[in-house]
Amino acid sequence: MQKQITAALLISTYNWPAALDLVLSSVLLQSKMPDEILIADDGSTEETKTIIEKYKKLFKIPVLHFWQEDHGFRKTLILNKAIAGAKSDYIIEIDGDIIIHRKFIEDHINFAMPGTFVRASRGYLNKELSAKLISKEISKINIFSKNIANFFSVVRIPFLWPLFEKNTKSKVPNYMKFMDATWRSGVLMQ
């Protein structure tokens, strides 16, 4: 029997608490939760910390906030600190302005293969749709929502996945290809 992998969701953020709020609310809706959430904060203000503290109370899994002072763009340094603090085997990385599909973590775990790294594209929301989401004028988007660019990167149609597979090692659904994921052991110095 194969060992069940553990997965961390790593979210990078910098001074956009309204977007982070949307990201974390989409994580709350996951069909399968990650084992931990790592927030890599490149020097945000107290407002971001307040959002994170709110979600720490809502999640039943660890939500770890890795913060560093704002001395310019140093995202890679805080990402490294967060990865070093991870307990999970598999790390799924998204930016702090990514709203994830409710099957995102579940699908990722199902497609995870040791020694692999996933990198691809995402769907883009225009300013109007983004503003409506942030202001809470609307709370959901779907494939029929207007103002989404790169439409086919956000569609989740599992029965079509085999048509796009080149081999068994590339079973990654198109909608998942907007983020990075790798094995913790592959990024930490041994």
Side-chain angles (χ1 to χ4, degrees):
M1 179 177 209
Q2 187 175 355
K3 176 190 166 208
Q4 178 81 21
I5 66 164
T6 56
L9 180 62
L10 172 57
I11 305 168
S12 59
T13 190
Y14 174 73
N15 276 335
W16 199 6
L20 183 61
D21 190 32
L22 287 172
V23 173
L24 291 169
S25 66
S26 74
V27 178
L28 275 174
L29 301 174
Q30 292 300 291
S31 60
K32 170 143 180 49
M33 283 291 158
D35 295 285
E36 60 186 334
I37 297 172
L38 314 169
I39 300 175
D41 185 344
D42 190 17
S44 298
T45 62
E46 282 294 313
E47 194 177 352
T48 295
K49 184 178 179 182
T50 301
I51 294 291
I52 294 167
E53 292 302 319
K54 172 180 114 174
Y55 281 95
K56 281 183 176 184
K57 295 173 186 167
L58 297 173
F59 282 103
K60 295 177 182 172
I61 58 172
V63 177
L64 306 172
H65 183 199
F66 297 87
W67 182 87
Q68 65 188 8
E69 286 189 39
D70 185 358
H71 293 296
F73 183 77
R74 299 183 309 144
K75 177 182 172 183
T76 55
L77 292 175
I78 199 63
L79 286 172
N80 287 338
K81 287 178 186 173
I83 291 168
K87 305 261 186 290
S88 299
D89 305 314
Y90 192 64
I91 299 172
I92 303 165
E93 181 189 341
I94 62 172
D95 286 334
D97 60 354
I98 302 292
I99 300 168
I100 58 178
H101 185 278
R102 69 179 190 83
K103 294 275 194 178
F104 184 79
I105 300 295
E106 179 182 343
D107 285 346
H108 236 290
I109 291 169
N110 288 336
F111 287 104
M113 294 175 52
T116 61
F117 177 82
V118 177
R119 174 72 181 137
S121 62
R122 71 186 91 201
Y124 296 95
L125 310 181
N126 74 0
K127 288 182 182 182
E128 179 186 346
L129 184 55
S130 296
K132 286 179 179 181
L133 283 164
I134 288 170
S135 70
K136 311 282 189 220
E137 184 180 328
I138 61 172
S139 61
K140 293 183 179 179
I141 56 173
N142 61 48
I143 61 170
F144 303 108
S145 298
K146 293 181 181 177
N147 303 319
I148 298 176
N150 206 11
F151 169 82
F152 289 104
S153 289
V154 298
V155 176
R156 182 183 186 275
I157 308 174
F159 73 87
L160 291 179
W161 294 346
L163 298 175
F164 299 99
E165 292 175 13
K166 292 186 180 173
N167 59 50
T168 58
K169 294 185 179 183
S170 64
K171 292 183 182 180
V172 179
N174 203 33
Y175 89 95
M176 284 176 50
K177 294 180 179 176
F178 58 78
M179 51 70 54
D180 299 330
T182 193
W183 295 86
R184 183 172 177 267
S185 62
V187 292
L188 293 178
M189 297 298 288
Q190 307 274 328

